[in-house]
Amino acid sequence: MNRPLDPKAFAGQPAATGTGMHNRFLKSFGGYWKYKYLTLLFIPAAVYYFIFHYVPIYGVLIAFKDYKFSLGIMGSPWVGLEHFRDLFALGSFWQVFRNTVTISFYKLAFGFPAPILFALLLNEIRLSFFKKAVQTISYFPHFLSWVVLGGLAIQFLSPSIGPVNIIMQALGFKPIFFLGSTEWFRSVLVVTDIWKELGWGTIVYLAAITGVNPELHEAATVDGANRYHRMRFITLPAMAPVITVMLIFAVGRLVNDDFDQVFNLYNNAVMEVGDVLSTYTYRAGLVNMQYSFSTAVGLFKNIIAFALVLTANALAKKFNEYGLW
C-alpha cells in the first residue's frame, strides 16, 4: 500500500528544478567571472579554431558538387556521390591508399616506441649537463622544415658524394641510391621521420616520468630492485595512461601522412611506393584543378581517420581502462 508523501520531508529543498539549474549556472558563471583575466586567454585559441577549423567545414560541400570557380560553392550544381564513385573506381587511388597505410604503419611500428625508449634512457642519465645537451640536440630537428631536412637527407644519401655511401664503399659495399630505390625509399621516410621527431616526442613522456613518486623507487631499491626492474615495474606502468592516449592519436593518423616530407623526398622513380594521399590530392586539386575530386579524397581520408580514433579509443578502454573519453 502506498503511503502519502510527507511535506516535511522536503523542507529546505529547492522549490523547482529550474531554480536549482539557475543557481548552478550562476555559480559556474561566477567562477568564470572570478578568473575573468585567465578566461580571456582562452579567447584567441577559440577564435583560431573557429576561423581555421570550423569555418572551412563549409567547403566540404565541394565534394558533392561539380565545383566551378566562376559559380562559387552554392552556385555549382549538385552531383551527389559521383566523385566518390569515380574515386573508388580508380586503381591508382587504391595504390596510393595502400602506400599511405603501409608507410604510416611502419612509422607507427618503429617510430612510436622510439621516443618512449629514448625518454626512459634520458631519465637514467645522472649527469645533468650531458642530459640537457642530449635533449637540446635531439629537439633541434623538430624546428627545421622538411625543405631543409630533405635537402640534408638528399646530400647525405647521395650515391656519389653522400657520407653514407662513401662509408659503405670504404667497407667494400656497393653504393645505393636510397631515394631512387623502391626497396629503400619507405625505410628512408621512416628513419628521417624518427630523426626529426624523436626528441620532441619525448617531452610528454618525460613529463609523465617526473610525476612518478620518488618514494616508490626508494622502496624498490631497498627491496633489491635494480634500474631495469624499477623501469619495468614502476616507470612504465606510470606512463601507461600517456602512452595509451598518444597511441590513439597515432592510430588515427594511419591514413594521414606528412606531405612536406614525402613531397621533398619523392621522385618519379619511387612514385609506385612513395605516392601517398596528400601528394595525390595535391596533384588532383592544385595541379589538375579537380577541386571537387580532391575534396572527396580528403573527406574520405578524414572519415577513415575518425573511425580509427573511435575504434582505438574503444579498444583502449576495454583492455586498460584508459582513453580520450
Side-chain angles (χ1 to χ4, degrees):
M1 181 175 180
N2 295 332
R3 300 178 60 185
L5 297 177
D6 185 3
K8 296 181 180 180
F10 297 93
Q13 298 295 324
T17 304
T19 303
M21 294 178 62
H22 180 69
N23 291 337
R24 288 195 296 270
F25 172 77
L26 291 178
K27 183 178 180 180
S28 177
F29 180 78
Y32 285 113
W33 181 255
K34 181 179 179 181
Y35 301 103
K36 53 183 177 295
Y37 297 111
L38 291 177
T39 305
L40 288 175
L41 296 176
F42 176 74
I43 293 179
V47 172
Y48 165 80
Y49 274 95
F50 177 76
I51 294 177
F52 295 102
H53 292 266
Y54 286 94
V55 173
I57 294 177
Y58 167 70
V60 171
L61 291 175
I62 297 176
F64 306 96
K65 292 194 168 194
D66 184 13
Y67 177 70
K68 305 295 182 183
F69 184 78
S70 58
L71 299 176
I73 296 178
M74 297 307 298
S76 300
W78 288 93
V79 294
L81 301 177
E82 179 180 336
H83 298 300
F84 292 93
R85 287 193 293 266
D86 295 340
L87 177 67
F88 298 147
L90 288 175
S92 59
F93 168 76
W94 293 112
Q95 177 63 42
V96 169
F97 184 77
R98 284 193 295 269
N99 291 342
T100 303
V101 174
T102 301
I103 293 172
S104 298
F105 179 78
Y106 287 157
K107 288 183 178 181
L108 177 65
F110 297 100
F112 182 77
I116 300 175
L117 297 175
F118 191 55
L120 292 172
L121 294 176
L122 281 177
N123 185 58
E124 297 300 320
I125 297 177
R126 294 294 175 258
L127 296 177
S128 178
F129 172 78
F130 181 70
K131 181 177 180 179
K132 291 180 180 179
V134 172
Q135 285 181 282
T136 303
I137 294 172
S138 64
Y139 294 165
F140 183 68
H142 172 80
F143 298 98
L144 298 178
S145 69
W146 273 112
V147 176
V148 177
L149 294 180
L152 290 174
I154 292 172
Q155 293 298 318
F156 269 83
L157 299 176
S158 171
S160 56
I161 62 173
V164 175
N165 276 297
I166 291 176
I167 295 175
M168 291 178 60
Q169 292 182 68
L171 295 175
F173 297 98
K174 294 182 179 180
I176 300 174
F177 188 12
F178 290 97
L179 295 176
S181 171
T182 56
E183 297 178 359
W184 289 96
F185 183 73
R186 289 174 177 173
S187 300
V188 171
L189 291 180
V190 174
V191 172
T192 53
D193 182 73
I194 294 175
W195 169 44
K196 187 177 190 296
E197 302 298 340
L198 176 64
W200 186 256
T202 61
I203 294 177
V204 176
Y205 300 113
L206 285 173
I209 291 175
T210 57
V212 180
N213 190 348
E215 294 180 358
L216 295 176
H217 288 280
E218 295 174 0
T221 303
V222 172
D223 291 337
N226 55 29
R227 285 190 176 185
Y228 171 75
H229 292 145
R230 286 186 279 121
M231 181 189 301
R232 179 181 176 183
F233 296 107
I234 297 177
T235 307
L236 271 177
M239 297 169 63
V242 175
I243 293 175
T244 301
V245 172
M246 299 303 291
L247 180 60
I248 293 173
F249 287 141
V251 171
R253 291 193 297 268
L254 275 177
V255 292
N256 290 324
D257 48 77
D258 196 331
F259 170 79
D260 294 336
Q261 180 195 23
V262 178
F263 186 76
N264 283 283
L265 292 177
Y266 84 149
N267 52 73
N268 292 331
V270 294
M271 191 73 71
E272 179 184 350
V273 297
D275 195 18
V276 292
L277 284 172
S278 61
T279 55
Y280 184 78
T281 306
Y282 163 77
R283 291 197 308 276
L286 295 181
V287 178
N288 299 328
M289 294 186 291
Q290 297 175 338
Y291 302 114
S292 297
F293 182 79
S294 61
T295 305
V297 176
L299 182 59
F300 171 76
K301 181 177 68 172
N302 290 333
I303 292 174
I304 297 298
F306 181 66
L308 287 173
V309 169
L310 292 179
T311 304
N313 186 76
L315 292 176
K317 294 283 289 184
K318 180 178 180 180
F319 288 105
N320 62 9
E321 298 182 357
Y322 299 119
L324 294 176
W325 59 84

Coordinates of all heavy atoms in Angstrom, one line a residue, residues 82-101 103 255-264 266-267 270-301:
E82 N 28.9 11.2 -56.9 CA 29.6 10.9 -58.2 C 31.1 10.9 -58.0 O 31.7 10.0 -58.6 CB 29.2 11.9 -59.2 CG 29.8 11.7 -60.6 CD 29.4 12.7 -61.6 OE1 28.3 13.3 -61.5 OE2 30.2 12.9 -62.6
H83 N 31.6 11.9 -57.3 CA 33.1 11.9 -57.2 C 33.6 10.7 -56.4 O 34.7 10.2 -56.6 CB 33.5 13.2 -56.5 CG 33.1 14.4 -57.3 ND1 33.6 14.6 -58.6 CD2 32.3 15.5 -57.1 CE1 33.1 15.8 -59.1 NE2 32.3 16.3 -58.2
F84 N 32.8 10.3 -55.4 CA 33.3 9.1 -54.6 C 33.2 7.9 -55.4 O 34.1 7.0 -55.3 CB 32.4 9.0 -53.3 CG 32.5 10.1 -52.4 CD1 31.7 11.2 -52.4 CD2 33.5 10.1 -51.4 CE1 31.9 12.3 -51.5 CE2 33.7 11.1 -50.5 CZ 32.9 12.2 -50.5
R85 N 32.2 7.7 -56.3 CA 32.2 6.6 -57.2 C 33.4 6.6 -58.1 O 34.0 5.5 -58.4 CB 30.8 6.6 -57.9 CG 29.6 6.2 -57.1 CD 28.4 5.9 -58.0 NE 28.0 7.1 -58.7 CZ 27.0 7.9 -58.2 NH1 26.4 7.7 -57.1 NH2 26.7 9.0 -58.9
D86 N 33.7 7.7 -58.7 CA 34.9 7.8 -59.5 C 36.1 7.5 -58.8 O 37.0 6.8 -59.3 CB 35.0 9.2 -60.1 CG 33.8 9.5 -61.1 OD1 33.1 8.6 -61.5 OD2 33.5 10.7 -61.3
L87 N 36.2 7.9 -57.5 CA 37.4 7.7 -56.7 C 37.6 6.2 -56.4 O 38.7 5.7 -56.6 CB 37.2 8.4 -55.4 CG 38.3 8.3 -54.3 CD1 39.6 8.9 -54.8 CD2 37.8 8.9 -53.0
F88 N 36.5 5.5 -56.1 CA 36.7 4.1 -55.7 C 36.9 3.2 -57.0 O 37.3 2.1 -56.9 CB 35.4 3.6 -55.0 CG 35.2 4.3 -53.7 CD1 33.9 4.6 -53.2 CD2 36.3 4.8 -52.9 CE1 33.7 5.2 -52.0 CE2 36.1 5.4 -51.7 CZ 34.8 5.6 -51.2
A89 N 36.5 3.8 -58.1 CA 36.7 3.0 -59.4 C 38.1 3.1 -59.9 O 38.5 2.3 -60.8 CB 35.7 3.5 -60.4
L90 N 38.9 4.0 -59.4 CA 40.3 4.3 -59.9 C 41.3 3.3 -59.2 O 41.4 3.3 -58.0 CB 40.7 5.7 -59.6 CG 40.1 6.8 -60.5 CD1 40.6 8.2 -60.0 CD2 40.4 6.6 -62.0
G91 N 42.0 2.5 -60.0 CA 43.0 1.6 -59.4 C 44.2 2.4 -58.9 O 44.8 2.0 -57.9
S92 N 44.5 3.6 -59.4 CA 45.6 4.4 -58.9 C 45.3 4.9 -57.5 O 46.2 5.0 -56.7 CB 45.8 5.6 -59.8 OG 44.6 6.4 -59.9
F93 N 44.0 5.2 -57.2 CA 43.7 5.6 -55.8 C 44.0 4.5 -54.8 O 44.5 4.8 -53.7 CB 42.2 6.0 -55.7 CG 41.7 6.2 -54.3 CD1 42.1 7.4 -53.6 CD2 41.0 5.3 -53.7 CE1 41.7 7.6 -52.3 CE2 40.5 5.5 -52.4 CZ 40.9 6.6 -51.7
W94 N 43.6 3.3 -55.1 CA 43.8 2.2 -54.1 C 45.3 1.9 -53.9 O 45.7 1.6 -52.8 CB 43.1 1.0 -54.5 CG 41.6 1.2 -54.5 CD1 40.7 1.2 -55.5 CD2 40.8 1.4 -53.3 NE1 39.4 1.4 -55.0 CE2 39.5 1.5 -53.7 CE3 41.1 1.5 -51.9 CZ2 38.4 1.8 -52.7 CZ3 40.1 1.7 -51.0 CH2 38.8 1.8 -51.4
Q95 N 46.1 2.2 -55.0 CA 47.6 2.0 -54.8 C 48.1 3.1 -53.9 O 48.9 2.8 -53.0 CB 48.2 2.1 -56.2 CG 49.7 2.1 -56.2 CD 50.3 0.7 -55.7 OE1 49.7 -0.3 -56.0 NE2 51.3 0.8 -54.9
V96 N 47.6 4.3 -54.1 CA 48.0 5.4 -53.2 C 47.6 5.2 -51.8 O 48.3 5.4 -50.8 CB 47.5 6.7 -53.7 CG1 47.7 7.9 -52.7 CG2 48.2 7.1 -55.1
F97 N 46.4 4.7 -51.6 CA 45.8 4.4 -50.3 C 46.7 3.3 -49.6 O 47.0 3.4 -48.4 CB 44.4 3.9 -50.4 CG 43.7 3.7 -49.1 CD1 43.3 4.8 -48.3 CD2 43.5 2.4 -48.6 CE1 42.6 4.6 -47.1 CE2 42.9 2.2 -47.4 CZ 42.4 3.3 -46.6
R98 N 47.1 2.3 -50.3 CA 47.9 1.2 -49.7 C 49.3 1.8 -49.3 O 49.8 1.4 -48.3 CB 48.1 0.0 -50.7 CG 46.9 -0.9 -50.8 CD 47.2 -2.1 -51.6 NE 47.6 -1.9 -53.0 CZ 46.7 -1.8 -54.0 NH1 45.4 -2.1 -53.7 NH2 47.1 -1.6 -55.2
N99 N 49.8 2.6 -50.2 CA 51.1 3.3 -49.8 C 51.0 4.1 -48.6 O 51.9 4.0 -47.7 CB 51.6 4.2 -51.0 CG 52.0 3.4 -52.2 OD1 52.3 2.2 -52.2 ND2 52.0 4.1 -53.4
T100 N 49.9 4.8 -48.4 CA 49.7 5.7 -47.2 C 49.6 4.8 -46.0 O 50.3 5.1 -45.0 CB 48.5 6.5 -47.4 OG1 48.6 7.3 -48.6 CG2 48.3 7.4 -46.2
V101 N 48.8 3.8 -46.0 CA 48.6 2.9 -44.8 C 49.9 2.2 -44.5 O 50.3 2.1 -43.3 CB 47.5 2.0 -45.1 CG1 47.4 1.0 -43.9 CG2 46.2 2.7 -45.2
I103 N 53.1 3.0 -45.2 CA 54.1 3.9 -44.7 C 53.8 4.3 -43.2 O 54.6 4.4 -42.3 CB 54.3 5.1 -45.6 CG1 54.9 4.7 -46.9 CG2 55.2 6.2 -44.9 CD1 55.0 5.8 -48.0
V255 N 45.9 6.9 -41.8 CA 45.6 7.3 -43.1 C 46.0 8.7 -43.5 O 45.8 9.2 -44.6 CB 44.1 7.2 -43.4 CG1 43.7 5.7 -43.4 CG2 43.3 8.0 -42.4
N256 N 46.7 9.4 -42.5 CA 47.3 10.7 -42.8 C 48.8 10.5 -43.0 O 49.4 9.5 -42.7 CB 47.1 11.6 -41.6 CG 45.6 12.0 -41.4 OD1 44.9 12.2 -42.4 ND2 45.1 12.2 -40.2
D257 N 49.4 11.5 -43.6 CA 50.8 11.4 -44.0 C 51.4 12.8 -43.9 O 50.7 13.8 -43.9 CB 51.0 10.8 -45.4 CG 50.1 11.4 -46.4 OD1 50.4 12.5 -46.8 OD2 49.0 10.8 -46.8
D258 N 52.7 12.8 -43.9 CA 53.4 14.1 -43.8 C 53.7 14.5 -45.3 O 54.7 14.1 -45.9 CB 54.7 13.9 -43.1 CG 55.3 15.2 -42.6 OD1 55.1 16.2 -43.3 OD2 56.0 15.3 -41.6
F259 N 52.9 15.4 -45.8 CA 53.0 15.9 -47.1 C 54.4 16.5 -47.4 O 55.0 16.3 -48.4 CB 51.9 16.9 -47.5 CG 52.1 17.6 -48.8 CD1 51.8 17.0 -50.0 CD2 52.6 18.9 -48.8 CE1 51.9 17.6 -51.2 CE2 52.8 19.5 -50.0 CZ 52.4 18.9 -51.2
D260 N 54.8 17.4 -46.4 CA 56.1 18.1 -46.6 C 57.2 17.1 -46.8 O 58.1 17.3 -47.6 CB 56.3 19.0 -45.4 CG 55.3 20.1 -45.3 OD1 54.8 20.5 -46.4 OD2 55.1 20.7 -44.2
Q261 N 57.2 16.1 -45.9 CA 58.3 15.1 -46.0 C 58.3 14.4 -47.4 O 59.4 14.3 -48.0 CB 58.2 14.1 -44.9 CG 59.3 13.0 -44.9 CD 59.0 11.8 -44.0 OE1 57.8 11.6 -43.7 NE2 60.0 11.1 -43.6
V262 N 57.2 13.8 -47.7 CA 57.1 13.0 -49.0 C 57.4 13.9 -50.2 O 58.1 13.5 -51.1 CB 55.8 12.3 -49.1 CG1 55.7 11.5 -50.4 CG2 55.5 11.4 -47.9
F263 N 56.8 15.1 -50.2 CA 56.9 15.9 -51.4 C 58.4 16.4 -51.6 O 58.8 16.5 -52.8 CB 56.0 17.2 -51.2 CG 56.0 18.1 -52.4 CD1 55.2 17.7 -53.5 CD2 56.7 19.3 -52.4 CE1 55.1 18.5 -54.6 CE2 56.6 20.1 -53.5 CZ 55.9 19.7 -54.6
N264 N 59.1 16.5 -50.5 CA 60.5 17.0 -50.7 C 61.5 15.8 -50.9 O 62.6 16.1 -51.2 CB 60.9 17.7 -49.4 CG 60.4 19.1 -49.4 OD1 60.9 20.0 -50.1 ND2 59.4 19.4 -48.6
Y266 N 60.3 12.5 -52.5 CA 60.0 11.5 -53.6 C 60.3 12.0 -55.0 O 60.5 13.2 -55.2 CB 58.5 11.1 -53.4 CG 57.5 11.9 -54.1 CD1 56.3 11.3 -54.5 CD2 57.6 13.3 -54.2 CE1 55.3 12.1 -55.1 CE2 56.6 14.1 -54.7 CZ 55.5 13.5 -55.2 OH 54.5 14.2 -55.8
N267 N 60.3 11.1 -55.9 CA 60.6 11.5 -57.3 C 59.9 10.4 -58.2 O 59.2 9.5 -57.7 CB 62.1 11.5 -57.6 CG 62.8 10.2 -57.1 OD1 62.6 9.2 -57.7 ND2 63.5 10.4 -56.0
V270 N 60.3 6.5 -57.6 CA 59.7 5.8 -56.4 C 58.3 6.1 -56.3 O 57.7 5.9 -55.2 CB 60.5 6.2 -55.1 CG1 61.9 5.7 -55.2 CG2 60.5 7.7 -54.9
M271 N 57.6 6.7 -57.3 CA 56.2 7.0 -57.3 C 55.4 5.8 -56.9 O 54.3 5.9 -56.2 CB 55.8 7.6 -58.6 CG 54.4 8.3 -58.6 SD 54.4 9.9 -57.7 CE 55.4 10.9 -58.8
E272 N 55.8 4.7 -57.4 CA 55.0 3.4 -57.2 C 54.8 3.1 -55.7 O 53.8 2.6 -55.3 CB 55.6 2.3 -57.9 CG 54.9 0.9 -57.7 CD 55.7 -0.2 -58.4 OE1 56.6 0.1 -59.1 OE2 55.3 -1.4 -58.2
V273 N 55.8 3.4 -54.9 CA 55.8 3.1 -53.5 C 55.8 4.3 -52.6 O 55.5 4.2 -51.4 CB 57.0 2.2 -53.1 CG1 57.0 0.9 -53.8 CG2 58.3 3.0 -53.3
G274 N 56.0 5.5 -53.1 CA 56.1 6.7 -52.3 C 54.9 7.6 -52.5 O 54.8 8.6 -51.7
D275 N 54.1 7.5 -53.5 CA 52.9 8.4 -53.7 C 51.9 8.1 -52.6 O 51.4 7.0 -52.5 CB 52.4 8.2 -55.1 CG 51.4 9.3 -55.5 OD1 51.5 10.4 -54.9 OD2 50.7 9.2 -56.4
V276 N 51.5 9.2 -51.9 CA 50.5 9.0 -50.8 C 49.3 9.9 -51.0 O 49.3 10.6 -52.0 CB 51.2 9.3 -49.4 CG1 52.2 8.3 -49.1 CG2 51.8 10.7 -49.5
L277 N 48.4 9.8 -50.1 CA 47.1 10.5 -50.3 C 47.3 12.0 -50.4 O 46.6 12.7 -51.2 CB 46.1 10.2 -49.2 CG 45.5 8.8 -49.3 CD1 44.7 8.5 -48.0 CD2 44.5 8.7 -50.5
S278 N 48.1 12.6 -49.6 CA 48.3 14.1 -49.7 C 48.9 14.5 -51.0 O 48.5 15.5 -51.5 CB 49.2 14.5 -48.5 OG 50.5 13.9 -48.5
T279 N 49.9 13.8 -51.5 CA 50.5 14.2 -52.8 C 49.6 13.9 -53.9 O 49.5 14.7 -54.9 CB 51.8 13.4 -53.0 OG1 51.6 12.0 -52.9 CG2 52.9 13.8 -52.0
Y280 N 48.8 12.9 -53.8 CA 47.7 12.6 -54.8 C 46.7 13.7 -54.8 O 46.3 14.1 -55.9 CB 47.1 11.2 -54.4 CG 46.1 10.7 -55.4 CD1 46.5 10.1 -56.6 CD2 44.7 10.8 -55.2 CE1 45.6 9.6 -57.5 CE2 43.8 10.3 -56.1 CZ 44.2 9.7 -57.3 OH 43.3 9.2 -58.2
T281 N 46.3 14.1 -53.7 CA 45.3 15.2 -53.6 C 45.9 16.5 -54.1 O 45.2 17.3 -54.8 CB 44.8 15.4 -52.1 OG1 44.4 14.2 -51.6 CG2 43.7 16.4 -52.0
Y282 N 47.1 16.7 -53.8 CA 47.8 18.0 -54.3 C 47.8 18.0 -55.8 O 47.5 19.0 -56.5 CB 49.2 18.0 -53.8 CG 50.2 18.9 -54.5 CD1 50.1 20.3 -54.3 CD2 51.1 18.5 -55.4 CE1 50.9 21.2 -55.0 CE2 51.9 19.3 -56.1 CZ 51.9 20.7 -55.9 OH 52.7 21.5 -56.6
R283 N 48.2 16.9 -56.5 CA 48.2 16.9 -57.9 C 46.8 17.0 -58.5 O 46.6 17.7 -59.5 CB 48.8 15.6 -58.4 CG 50.3 15.5 -58.1 CD 51.0 14.4 -59.0 NE 50.3 13.1 -58.9 CZ 50.5 12.2 -57.9 NH1 51.4 12.5 -57.0 NH2 49.8 11.1 -57.9
A284 N 45.8 16.3 -57.9 CA 44.5 16.4 -58.4 C 43.8 17.8 -58.2 O 43.2 18.3 -59.1 CB 43.6 15.3 -57.8
G285 N 44.1 18.4 -57.1 CA 43.4 19.6 -56.7 C 44.1 20.8 -57.3 O 43.4 21.7 -57.9
L286 N 45.4 21.0 -57.1 CA 46.1 22.2 -57.4 C 46.7 22.1 -58.8 O 46.7 23.1 -59.5 CB 47.2 22.5 -56.4 CG 46.7 22.8 -55.0 CD1 47.8 23.1 -54.0 CD2 45.7 24.0 -55.0
V287 N 47.3 20.9 -59.2 CA 47.9 20.8 -60.5 C 46.9 20.6 -61.6 O 46.9 21.3 -62.6 CB 48.9 19.7 -60.5 CG1 49.6 19.5 -61.8 CG2 50.0 19.9 -59.4
N288 N 46.0 19.7 -61.4 CA 45.0 19.4 -62.4 C 43.7 20.2 -62.2 O 42.7 20.0 -63.0 CB 44.7 17.9 -62.4 CG 45.9 17.1 -62.8 OD1 46.8 17.5 -63.5 ND2 46.0 15.9 -62.2
M289 N 43.6 20.9 -61.1 CA 42.4 21.8 -60.8 C 41.1 21.0 -60.7 O 40.0 21.4 -61.1 CB 42.3 22.9 -61.8 CG 43.4 23.9 -61.8 SD 43.2 25.3 -62.9 CE 43.4 24.6 -64.5
Q290 N 41.2 19.7 -60.2 CA 40.0 18.9 -60.0 C 39.6 19.1 -58.5 O 39.8 18.2 -57.6 CB 40.3 17.5 -60.3 CG 40.6 17.2 -61.7 CD 41.0 15.7 -61.9 OE1 41.4 15.0 -61.0 NE2 40.9 15.3 -63.2
Y291 N 39.0 20.3 -58.2 CA 38.8 20.7 -56.8 C 37.8 19.7 -56.1 O 38.0 19.3 -54.9 CB 38.3 22.1 -56.7 CG 39.2 23.1 -57.4 CD1 38.9 23.8 -58.5 CD2 40.5 23.3 -56.8 CE1 39.8 24.7 -59.1 CE2 41.4 24.2 -57.4 CZ 41.0 24.9 -58.6 OH 41.9 25.8 -59.1
S292 N 36.7 19.4 -56.8 CA 35.7 18.5 -56.2 C 36.2 17.1 -55.9 O 36.0 16.6 -54.8 CB 34.5 18.5 -57.1 OG 33.9 19.7 -57.2
F293 N 37.0 16.6 -56.9 CA 37.6 15.3 -56.7 C 38.6 15.2 -55.5 O 38.5 14.3 -54.7 CB 38.2 14.9 -58.0 CG 38.8 13.5 -58.0 CD1 38.0 12.4 -58.1 CD2 40.2 13.3 -57.8 CE1 38.5 11.1 -58.1 CE2 40.7 12.0 -57.7 CZ 39.9 10.9 -57.9
S294 N 39.4 16.2 -55.5 CA 40.4 16.3 -54.4 C 39.8 16.4 -53.0 O 40.2 15.9 -52.0 CB 41.4 17.4 -54.6 OG 40.8 18.6 -54.7
T295 N 38.7 17.2 -53.0 CA 37.9 17.4 -51.7 C 37.3 16.1 -51.3 O 37.3 15.7 -50.1 CB 36.8 18.4 -51.9 OG1 37.4 19.7 -52.3 CG2 36.1 18.7 -50.5
A296 N 36.8 15.3 -52.2 CA 36.3 14.0 -51.9 C 37.3 13.0 -51.4 O 37.1 12.3 -50.4 CB 35.6 13.4 -53.2
V297 N 38.5 13.1 -51.9 CA 39.6 12.3 -51.4 C 39.9 12.7 -49.9 O 40.1 11.8 -49.0 CB 40.9 12.5 -52.2 CG1 42.1 11.7 -51.6 CG2 40.7 12.0 -53.7
G298 N 40.0 14.0 -49.7 CA 40.3 14.5 -48.3 C 39.2 14.1 -47.3 O 39.5 13.7 -46.2
L299 N 37.9 14.2 -47.8 CA 36.8 13.8 -46.9 C 36.8 12.4 -46.6 O 36.6 11.9 -45.4 CB 35.5 14.2 -47.5 CG 34.2 14.0 -46.7 CD1 34.3 14.7 -45.4 CD2 33.0 14.4 -47.5
F300 N 37.1 11.5 -47.6 CA 37.2 10.1 -47.3 C 38.3 9.8 -46.3 O 38.1 8.9 -45.4 CB 37.4 9.4 -48.7 CG 37.8 7.9 -48.5 CD1 36.8 7.0 -48.3 CD2 39.1 7.5 -48.7 CE1 37.1 5.6 -48.1 CE2 39.4 6.1 -48.5 CZ 38.4 5.2 -48.3
K301 N 39.4 10.4 -46.5 CA 40.5 10.2 -45.6 C 40.2 10.6 -44.1 O 40.5 9.8 -43.2 CB 41.8 11.0 -46.0 CG 43.0 10.8 -45.2 CD 44.2 11.5 -45.8 CE 44.0 13.0 -45.7 NZ 45.2 13.8 -46.1

